[in-house]
Amino acid sequence: MISKRISHLFAFAMITSCLVIVITCWGFILINVVYNGWSVIGWEFLFKNPKNGMTEGGIFSAIFGTTMVTFISCMFSAPIGIACAVYLNEYTKDNWVTKLIRASIRNLASIPSIVFGLFGLAVFVKSMGFGPSILSAGLTLGLLTLPILITTTEEALRKVPSGLREGAVALGATKFEMIITVLLPSSLSGIFTGIVLSLSRAAGETAPILLTGAAFYSRYLPGSIKDEFMALPYHLYVLSTQHSSIEQVRPLAYGTAVVLIALVFFMNIMVFILRSKHQKKFYG
Amino acid sequence: MRRYYLILFLLLFACRNHPVEKLIIKGSDTEINLVMAEAESFMEKDSAVSISITGGGSGIGITALFNKRCNIALSSRPLNPYEEALAMRRGIYINATIFAKDAIAIIVNPQVEVKSISLSQLAKIFSGEITNWNQLGGHDGEISLYGRQSSSGTYNFLKDNVMTSDFAPGVKQLSGTGQIVEAIKQDKNGIGYVGIGYIVDQTGKPNREVKILSLQPTDTSAAISPLSKLDIYSGRYPLTRPLYQFTIGKPTGKVKEFIDFQLSAAGQKIIEENGFFSIKPQQQAILQ
Amino acid sequence: MKKRLLIDAVGRIAFATLAWISVLILVGIFLMLASNGLRLIFHISPRELFSVKWNPSDYENPTFGIVSMVISTGLTTLLAMVVAIPIGVGAAICISEILSSNIRAWVKPMIEMLASIPSVVIGFLGIVIVGPAMAKLFHLSNGLNALNGALLLAVMSLPTIITVAEDAIHSVSRELKEGSYALGADKISTLKRIIIPNCYSGIIAAVVLGMGRAIGETMTVLMVTGNATTMPDSIFDPVRTLTATIAIEMGEVPFNSNHYFGLFACGLILFLITLTANIIAENLAQKLRRNEL
């Protein structure tokens, strides 16, 4: 029947056009940012600090600040998150308590990032007295990424075939030894995927660091983790809303956007490579 | 794996360079670019200090000062009664240093035909009573209002000194003065309030992409432009205000050095270069 | 041997402690949100909470009406979903069923990467490109409004929706698909009658995740929606979402003041909205999963 063919062709066209729209939008975004920011990228931009009212110079302090704060967030959330996932997956039975815990973790992953910022301000900056600092911001970002890490680690652990676990125990290993020597190494790439994903999330978030430590301008690199710091996403935010010559610094803003996107892409590509290496190693 | 953690550990300590004293400054969006210029110049001369500046609005600076999260709070308004009471309750003495003068300019898009308005008209525009440019002799277009957020000293200054009722709920509250200027450049019905430093360049020439309105202090007086330095210094332009820097107690150490630098001839020159107005040294007032 | 058993016991305790720390942290976040948010109720009347005017920093007459902000959040999210869901699900179907597996192998990771692009970049482009373009296109005086925010939110939640939906669609078993083809059905009929009905639960999960992303987004809406505290009359009005309110006022609130509790109340409301959406989606997903083959 011809009308059926036509309607099916129409459906086919609609579906394909959806993907085309998505690729066009995102392609436009990326091409626009790279096209406008490319000219600014260079040795000075990437490795020098800003000068002359941030209209010249580079964004090294922002890159450094972002790096430090994501490391701190990882150092906080990785051990706790991995341990939590291991405990939930290996040591506990599947009862209503663990179901509730897993549900809470999933729900807390969807809390808006600004709420974590509010929480970080109240607890780390104020109550614990760390003040606005790399430490406060890092801990806040660590909280933000904790649920993601727990979930991805649990998935990675689940993918390990039970035969590996049982084999180790059969050979006389204690549970702890089995976890350390067999389970974690074989799920390492999955865990690493989770860590890198949470790192890239932490690097790109602005809301949690708004009041927990990010600074508009600071001439030197932060001297310790109790100092304020400049950060890439916050720098882009202030260059586009608070600077006195927004139009003049727009190329720098574009450049910052390019660096941010490149950072995030680089981390995701690392994840991709890790995952495919792991596939080859374990599943032939 | 252990090597990885070791490298991380080392990196954390690697960023400790020569011991510098740290100065944390927070607050007014109006002042932030100006103080950044001052800080850059100050740090050129004195490398034993590291100044970090964050904006957000005068209210944020004052709150941070009360919570001992900064050394200097930049504020484009004086303390309000609530804050004064809080200081008294906590037994804190907040020292105010006036380091510059500012004029608030009312800017509109160049396509708006109106050249001047009175203060009472300004109040009516921002409270939503006057809604269309044709009510003021301009074209037929719904007035598009731009302002700051409630943490802004400029917002509060206008509220206390110009507005007779609340701001209209339809005022768009942007994150910074810079964003207001950019928005009005493109919005043919736009009007907003900004510190004059944001729309004049270093030689005092105004930004041609927005139009600066002259203000009539009363409905019958002459309209005065904020571009005339004489009218600002004499106080004829109605929206002039001092710019403050608050500290807890009298400034000491590096804080005092930085504030003194800003009050010196070199510092005041930077203020003028950024479009604001210097205070003569004799006029430096320490309140309370 | 005893030493190894000791290490095993210590190890178990170590894991348990760290696990309980993380659980307590997560519970603590929720408790703090709830306790600080609910404390607002003790200080102001519910009628005031459900009013329209939000102006808590006015020291003479503070008002705490959250209605206009809730409506603003709802409006932008709804608009964003209206745009993102059809396009996202359509794109997911395309990737899963229409593209060859070679192309799929690199399109899918590419789209996953897009989900990590920071929201400030999108907000920045919203100010610089989308705003002026929208103003020109719709003959408005400016582009800082709910529609701008909604479009950006849609763009940001698309990768999430596409990734999760595509996983669900692709995981419909081959036997079902091939059985349908074997009986003579073409691709579109198979899609309509076999594939999609069998992954409703996954698609709903995708939609809910995307919606959660849109509701919780802060920086993008802060930069492009104009942040006016008015009740929006149309999609071309400036709006202020709950997330933007928290971001804007977080820095100036005195500790333990009504305003402080008010912001936590906003956070609590956001959490309850996403929680409700998650619960509905999970129940719906379970129900649909039972109907699937």
Side-chain angles (χ1 to χ4, degrees), chain C residues 53-218:
Chain C
K53 208 153 154 233
W54 173 267
N55 195 0
S57 50
D58 187 278
Y59 39 89
E60 286 152 28
N61 195 15
T63 54
F64 289 86
I66 54 168
V67 170
S68 52
M69 292 187 305
V70 172
I71 304 258
S72 301
T73 306
L75 178 66
T76 38
T77 309
L78 193 68
L79 268 177
M81 288 296 105
V82 158
V83 171
I85 293 178
I87 297 184
V89 175
I93 296 175
C94 184
I95 296 177
S96 171
E97 299 301 312
I98 297 182
L99 291 183
S100 73
S101 55
N102 289 334
I103 303 185
R104 180 176 175 265
W106 58 263
V107 167
K108 200 161 145 56
M110 203 175 76
I111 296 206
E112 273 179 34
M113 270 200 247
L114 296 176
S116 324
I117 291 200
S119 48
V120 251
V121 177
I122 310 289
F124 170 64
L125 288 178
I127 296 181
V128 174
I129 299 182
V130 181
M134 187 177 295
K136 216 185 272 181
L137 193 64
F138 293 104
H139 304 292
L140 307 165
S141 66
N142 66 80
L144 297 176
N145 50 40
L147 183 61
N148 191 344
L151 285 177
L152 295 180
L153 287 179
V155 164
M156 284 178 58
S157 39
L158 271 173
T160 312
I161 296 179
I162 294 177
T163 311
V164 179
E166 200 276 341
D167 275 337
I169 296 171
H170 200 73
S171 63
V172 172
S173 74
R174 282 186 74 181
E175 285 97 16
L176 284 170
K177 285 191 250 188
E178 286 173 2
S180 169
Y181 293 137
L183 289 170
D186 72 342
K187 211 162 207 140
I188 303 291
S189 297
T190 311
L191 261 172
K192 202 166 81 168
R193 292 179 194 279
I194 303 289
I195 301 182
I196 301 296
N198 268 300
C199 54
Y200 276 147
S201 63
I203 294 185
I204 294 203
V207 165
V208 168
L209 271 171
M211 197 176 79
R213 183 101 205 256
I215 291 183
E217 193 36 63
T218 313

Side-chain angles (χ1 to χ4, degrees), chain B residues 39-152:
Chain B
E40 273 186 322
S41 186
F42 183 68
M43 285 192 282
E44 293 280 327
K45 302 193 167 90
D46 183 350
S47 61
V49 66
S50 164
I51 303 182
S52 95
I53 310 177
T54 315
S58 307
I60 291 186
I62 295 176
T63 306
L65 190 69
F66 272 108
N67 289 320
K68 302 207 176 57
R69 294 202 294 261
C70 65
N71 302 102
I72 301 179
L74 303 175
S75 175
S76 58
R77 62 167 173 83
L79 294 178
N80 63 38
Y82 175 81
E83 288 155 357
E84 286 178 347
L86 187 63
M88 219 176 297
R89 262 207 317 271
R90 291 201 192 164
I92 311 175
Y93 158 64
I94 306 270
N95 180 293
T97 310
I98 298 177
F99 75 109
K101 247 178 139 81
D102 176 33
I104 297 183
I106 307 296
I107 55 173
V108 294
N109 185 280
Q111 286 188 49
V112 171
E113 299 85 348
V114 177
K115 290 208 184 71
S116 68
I117 51 173
S118 71
L119 281 186
S120 58
Q121 284 173 320
L122 181 64
K124 290 205 183 101
I125 291 175
F126 272 94
S127 66
E129 270 181 67
I130 300 181
T131 52
N132 197 308
W133 284 115
N134 59 18
Q135 291 169 275
L136 294 163
H139 65 278
D140 175 29
E142 195 182 324
I143 299 183
S144 177
L145 298 162
Y146 291 88
R148 298 280 308 287
Q149 297 153 0
S150 56
S151 54
S152 156

Side-chain angles (χ1 to χ4, degrees), chain A residues 50-54 64 68 71-72 74-75 78-79 121 125-126 131-132 188 192 195 199 210-211 213-229 234 237 240-247 250, chain B residues 1 4-5 8-9 11-12 15-18 20 22 24-26 29 32-33 36 39-40 43-44 46-56 60 67 69 90 175-180 182 185-186 197-198 209 274:
Chain A
K51 59 181 190 208
N52 202 3
M54 299 207 294
F64 184 78
M68 287 314 305
F71 267 149
I72 299 273
C74 177
M75 277 176 69
L121 179 66
V125 176
K126 172 91 188 159
L188 205 59
F192 243 56
I195 292 182
L199 278 179
L210 271 180
L211 277 142
F216 176 79
Y217 168 74
S218 120
R219 181 187 176 101
Y220 299 114
L221 298 180
S224 77
I225 55 175
K226 296 207 80 176
D227 287 340
E228 293 194 340
F229 59 99
Y234 188 71
Y237 173 62
S240 52
T241 56
Q242 295 179 6
H243 198 270
S244 59
S245 351
I246 288 185
E247 229 180 286
R250 189 158 293 155
Chain B
M1 191 64 161
Y4 175 62
Y5 270 111
L8 272 180
F9 204 63
L11 256 173
L12 269 177
C15 52
R16 186 180 288 160
N17 24 36
H18 59 282
V20 290
K22 297 182 190 60
I24 301 183
I25 303 182
K26 287 186 192 283
D29 174 76
I32 194 172
N33 288 283
M36 175 170 66
E40 273 186 322
M43 285 192 282
E44 293 280 327
D46 183 350
S47 61
V49 66
S50 164
I51 303 182
S52 95
I53 310 177
T54 315
I60 291 186
N67 289 320
R69 294 202 294 261
R90 291 201 192 164
S175 304
T177 309
Q179 201 183 0
I180 296 182
E182 287 302 305
K185 277 187 202 172
Q186 297 167 3
Y198 276 84
E209 292 173 283
N274 277 274

